Amino acid sequence: MPTVSNVSSFRKMTPGILASQRLAMSNDIPDIGKSEVAIALKRAAQPLGLTSTAYHVLDILLGLSKPDDWKGAGRPIVAISNEKLASYVGRSERTVIRAIRQLVEAQVLAYRDSSTGRRWVHRNNGGEITYAYGLDFTPARVRYREIKRIADEWQAELNARREARRTVTRVSRAIVDIVEATMDVDLSDFRDQMNAILEDGSEVQEKSVALQDLYDLLVEALTEARIADEKQSGNKGMTGEHDTNVTPLSNTNSPDSCSYKRTSANANEINFPSDAAYSGEIAPEREQAERSRVKTTAAPARKRSGMADFTGSAALDAVSISLLESACTTVQSDFGLSLKSWPELLSAAGVMRIGIGLSEAAFADACARLGRQAASAILAVVAEKALRDPEKISSPGGYFRACCDRAVEGKLALARSLFGLAAG
């Protein structure tokens, strides 16, 4: 078939049409099949600037072309009148003509016009094209690698925008949770900065980077405030080290050895441990006798013991139930739990304990040392981390006990772990 690409005199020439004609006359045609070119063209339709009508026309023309014409150095040409094409598309002939022109200027098609303007294809006995006049797909074959690169870059940009939108949503929610959960430090300025970033007219990728930087600054400021508060609390501690004329008093007995011994003849001054330890260490006969003797004192003692489950410890600094709920999403979805309130967290502790394989004795020991509220919060964090990355935490039970030991020593940054889980 001749390599000449003719354009009728009635067409107004443009740089795009001339570029398509040069591509159609090229002898360096890659051996790319119809399916590969069709996929690349449809993926690159939007970055090439094709309208919906042009895309519809392209789809019909691809369907009418024969796969054998795309083999080797073949030049796929489709011969169909504008009238019939308009009936297929459901648009006017004028609209179809503009759509074809757009495809030609996008260097996807090339005009191969006859002297009369009619389109037709002549084939030999083997089915090969000998003479043809119509719409030539040779430019698309020649530009296949370029079109595929354009489609890949466009898809990568779409994925980046989608991920940036997710980052904006996730980080902004984390910032709001931190600001609302922190009562002892004024973090309202961070919320104002977040709103300013969200209302800015910049691209979503720029917003995601700015919000991530703001989140890092927020966590850093919160950590510094906590460290400063711990130092200030430590400086206020009362010791007799530098005092004069003061005789220091020290208790040489362990706390357990005198936890419930009588200190005076008054029965109201008897000190009792928590209900769990008391019921497990005192004989039933003595328990009944002591209960009858200290009836007025036992009730306040139990009240204080029960309140210990809900009083804050150092491990629960800057920790709120809303922060726990937003951070431990995997635990709630996988175990079918709800962590919208502290009572729900305490009731869910049994399910989480069994889920990570923690013994009942180990959890009871943690409750005795830290209180049920702090122990349940630590349990939720350990379970969340174990579910998200099982390979990283091979022994959740041992990890839980280590966290409790650090909490007793005042070295557990539970709030920071929750902030990281909420942002991740």
Side-chain angles (χ1 to χ4, degrees):
M1 184 179 63
T3 59
V4 178
S5 181
N6 299 322
V7 180
S8 296
S9 59
F10 62 82
R11 300 189 189 280
K12 181 180 180 181
M13 298 301 296
T14 63
I17 294 178
L18 289 174
S20 295
Q21 301 311 117
R22 286 193 294 267
L23 290 172
M25 294 166 54
S26 174
N27 291 322
D28 186 14
I29 302 176
D31 188 8
I32 307 297
K34 172 183 174 179
S35 59
E36 291 87 351
V37 177
I39 292 173
L41 285 173
K42 291 181 179 181
R43 290 180 60 221
Q46 193 165 359
L48 289 176
L50 301 183
T51 62
S52 59
T53 303
Y55 183 90
H56 196 179
V57 170
L58 173 64
D59 189 42
I60 293 175
L61 294 177
L62 285 170
L64 293 175
S65 66
K66 296 183 178 298
D68 291 340
D69 295 344
W70 294 77
K71 295 179 179 179
R75 299 174 186 275
I77 298 177
V78 179
I80 182 174
S81 65
N82 293 333
E83 180 182 1
K84 184 174 289 187
L85 194 57
S87 66
Y88 288 161
V89 178
R91 296 288 189 272
S92 65
E93 289 189 42
R94 180 63 62 181
T95 302
V96 168
I97 292 173
R98 286 196 297 266
I100 294 175
R101 187 182 185 88
Q102 186 182 28
L103 291 171
V104 173
E105 292 184 342
Q107 301 176 33
V108 174
L109 295 174
Y111 291 119
R112 185 181 290 273
D113 296 330
S114 65
S115 58
T116 61
R118 293 179 63 246
R119 298 169 185 164
W120 54 276
V121 176
H122 182 270
R123 299 179 184 271
N124 59 20
N125 294 332
E128 297 177 351
I129 297 177
T130 55
Y131 294 97
Y133 299 96
L135 302 172
D136 190 356
F137 272 107
T138 301
R141 293 195 74 189
V142 176
R143 294 184 62 212
Y144 167 73
R145 291 182 177 84
E146 179 187 356
I147 293 173
K148 186 176 183 298
R149 177 183 56 80
I150 292 173
D152 292 339
E153 291 177 353
W154 175 253
Q155 186 62 48
E157 184 178 353
L158 288 180
N159 293 338
R161 290 179 181 176
R162 186 183 301 109
E163 184 60 30
R165 285 194 293 269
R166 292 175 179 173
T167 300
V168 168
T169 302
R170 182 178 67 252
V171 176
S172 59
R173 287 178 179 175
I175 292 175
V176 171
D177 289 340
I178 294 174
V179 172
E180 292 181 352
T182 306
M183 302 299 181
D184 52 346
V185 180
D186 185 11
L187 302 176
S188 58
D189 183 56
F190 288 94
R191 186 198 289 258
D192 296 338
Q193 294 182 46
M194 180 196 70
N195 293 331
I197 293 173
L198 293 176
E199 295 173 0
D200 189 10
S202 58
E203 294 291 334
V204 66
Q205 291 95 331
E206 298 178 4
K207 290 183 180 181
S208 66
V209 173
L211 285 174
Q212 188 63 54
D213 293 340
L214 180 64
Y215 173 80
D216 295 338
L217 291 174
L218 174 59
V219 173
E220 183 178 353
L222 192 63
T223 304
E224 292 178 355
R226 181 181 178 185
I227 293 174
D229 184 65
E230 290 178 352
K231 289 182 178 180
Q232 185 178 4
S233 300
N235 293 336
K236 292 181 179 180
M238 298 179 62
T239 64
E241 182 179 355
H242 303 290
D243 295 342
T244 58
N245 299 326
V246 176
T247 303
L249 299 177
S250 61
N251 185 6
T252 59
N253 295 328
S254 64
D256 293 339
S257 63
C258 57
S259 59
Y260 50 84
K261 289 184 180 180
R262 182 177 298 182
T263 57
S264 69
N266 188 356
N268 291 333
E269 296 180 359
I270 296 177
N271 296 324
F272 290 93
S274 64
D275 289 346
Y278 183 76
S279 60
E281 295 179 4
I282 298 181
E285 297 84 359
R286 182 175 177 181
E287 180 182 1
Q288 182 176 3
E290 294 293 344
R291 187 181 297 113
S292 63
R293 294 176 57 188
V294 291
K295 183 175 181 181
T296 59
T297 306
R302 290 191 198 93
K303 183 177 181 181
R304 289 192 298 271
S305 176
M307 290 176 61
D309 293 336
F310 292 93
T311 54
S313 64
L316 293 180
D317 288 347
V319 175
S320 67
I321 190 61
S322 60
L323 178 59
L324 270 165
E325 182 187 9
S326 60
C328 301
T329 55
T330 306
V331 167
Q332 298 178 75
S333 60
D334 289 5
F335 291 161
L337 301 174
S338 174
L339 304 180
K340 295 183 179 180
S341 64
W342 289 109
E344 287 183 339
L345 173 66
L346 298 181
S347 63
V351 176
M352 293 187 292
R353 178 185 64 78
I354 297 174
I356 68 171
L358 180 67
S359 64
E360 185 175 358
F363 183 67
D365 178 68
C367 292
R369 292 192 296 168
L370 300 171
R372 287 178 59 199
Q373 190 177 18
S376 299
I378 296 173
L379 178 61
V381 172
V382 172
E384 181 72 17
K385 291 184 176 181
L387 290 174
R388 290 191 185 186
D389 196 352
E391 296 181 358
K392 188 175 181 180
I393 302 179
S394 58
S395 177
Y399 188 76
F400 172 79
R401 287 187 286 270
C403 290
C404 291
D405 292 339
R406 291 181 62 85
V408 171
E409 297 172 0
K411 298 180 180 179
L412 181 66
L414 186 62
R416 188 164 189 174
S417 297
L418 288 169
F419 295 147
L421 290 172

